[in-house]
Amino acid sequence: MGVLRWLVAALVLGAVPAAAQVADLRSTTQFRVCADPANAPMSSRDGSGFENKLAQAFGEWLGLPVTYTWFPSGMGFIAKTLREGKCDVVMGYAQGDELVQNTNHYYTSVFGIVTRRDSDLAAVDRLTDPALKGHPIGVVAGSPPATIMAHAGLAKDMRGADLFVDRRVKDPVGDLIAGVKDGTLDAAVLWGPLAGPRVKDDPDLQFTPLLKETGGPKMFYRITMGVRLPEQEWKRQLNSLIRRHQPEINAILREAGVPLVDDYGKELIQ
């Protein structure tokens, strides 16, 4: 799976395209969101995910109640939700994928390293640091940083986890973070929006963004909302809300612990 498709999977795990597109399916009485019911810390049936909070904010700005179509992440997500007209927006989608029409991006985030604060690896901020060699490091199989790690000679140190699971019963990212906390792993290299919120209040763990990588796949990605391909007016309406409410959007993301970087992945945005 290519880099962008993997990242999309990490966020919403898209689906194969449906054969036909139908325009003008959007509800005018509800803000209908397509979401995974167990994709914490992004979306959750109990409303605790930061994408749930973003959805609530957009619903308020539109003056519409928020409703959900829940569907597990994986093959079929887009086909069985957005494409069938059951809902009208996916709250988090990597810019550039062709399964949906992307809005303007509303945040950019980055992969990083989760370590214990008292670890010998706490100062590591790049995957090519020789200090990583010989340490068990968790990483999601097939993810962009896994490629860099392999090129850096860390293949034998990598402990892979599969993201393509039913997260109602399995939690691969949570398992990797737990491994760092209990010492089974010395570090875990993870996508910031998945890891940052989980460690932000943990006194033992830290998330260090990978802002210094110069080779291999990029470590930062711009995140948009996804709508159906024909719905230009709906996209423009969401773009207008993003533009007018960017400070509020940033505040929700920061409160959740999502690491925000500039559009070039070079600096953290405070």
Side-chain angles (χ1 to χ4, degrees):
M1 175 172 287
V3 170
L4 186 57
R5 277 194 68 189
W6 180 89
L7 182 60
V8 172
L11 302 173
V12 295
L13 288 129
V16 292
Q21 294 293 318
V22 181
D24 301 323
L25 297 177
R26 177 170 64 94
S27 171
T28 58
T29 60
Q30 304 170 66
F31 185 60
R32 302 189 305 165
V33 178
C34 319
D36 186 322
N39 194 20
M42 294 180 176
S43 64
S44 177
R45 191 183 290 272
D46 66 7
S48 62
F50 65 80
E51 289 183 355
N52 298 106
K53 293 177 173 62
L54 287 168
Q56 189 62 40
F58 273 83
E60 291 174 2
W61 298 331
L62 289 163
L64 299 175
V66 180
T67 61
Y68 285 92
T69 293
W70 301 109
F71 195 90
S73 299
M75 297 300 289
F77 179 84
I78 294 300
K80 295 297 184 181
T81 58
L82 191 69
R83 292 284 179 90
E84 288 190 359
K86 296 177 180 177
C87 43
D88 303 315
V89 62
V90 178
M91 294 305 298
Y93 219 92
Q95 187 180 64
D97 190 82
E98 297 180 355
L99 292 175
V100 303
Q101 178 179 204
N102 297 110
T103 65
N104 293 341
H105 69 283
Y106 63 94
Y107 76 96
T108 303
S109 195
V110 64
F111 282 89
I113 305 176
V114 175
T115 59
R116 291 187 61 89
R117 295 180 186 275
D118 58 3
S119 166
D120 293 341
L121 301 181
V124 171
D125 59 5
R126 66 179 69 209
L127 296 175
T128 52
D129 190 323
L132 291 173
K133 291 188 176 181
H135 292 274
I137 305 169
V139 64
V140 174
S143 64
T147 299
I148 296 177
M149 293 168 69
H151 290 163
L154 298 174
K156 63 180 176 54
D157 302 313
M158 293 162 58
R159 306 293 185 267
D162 186 2
L163 200 66
F164 291 88
V165 297
D166 186 342
R167 277 169 280 181
R168 294 171 296 180
V169 295
K170 294 184 178 181
D171 182 13
V173 171
D175 290 344
L176 291 179
I177 292 174
V180 176
K181 191 172 179 69
D182 68 20
T184 307
L185 299 171
D186 288 341
V189 181
L190 298 167
W191 173 232
L194 288 172
R198 292 177 184 252
V199 306
K200 77 180 186 77
D201 295 324
D202 192 309
D204 299 323
L205 300 179
Q206 66 180 24
F207 177 88
T208 303
L210 292 168
L211 304 177
K212 299 180 179 180
E213 300 300 331
T214 57
K218 66 181 182 179
M219 293 292 96
F220 65 96
Y221 292 87
R222 299 172 181 177
I223 305 305
T224 73
M225 287 181 272
V227 302
R228 281 176 288 272
L229 297 175
E231 294 178 341
Q232 295 293 324
E233 179 55 36
W234 179 221
K235 180 184 74 171
R236 284 191 288 269
Q237 189 173 0
L238 292 173
N239 283 343
S240 177
L241 290 174
I242 292 169
R243 183 177 64 255
R244 288 186 281 127
H245 294 282
Q246 189 67 62
E248 296 100 310
I249 292 170
N250 288 351
I252 291 171
L253 293 167
R254 287 196 193 96
E255 174 64 22
V258 177
L260 303 179
V261 298
D262 65 25
D263 286 349
Y264 305 99
K266 298 299 183 183
E267 297 181 10
L268 285 173
I269 299 175
Q270 302 301 325

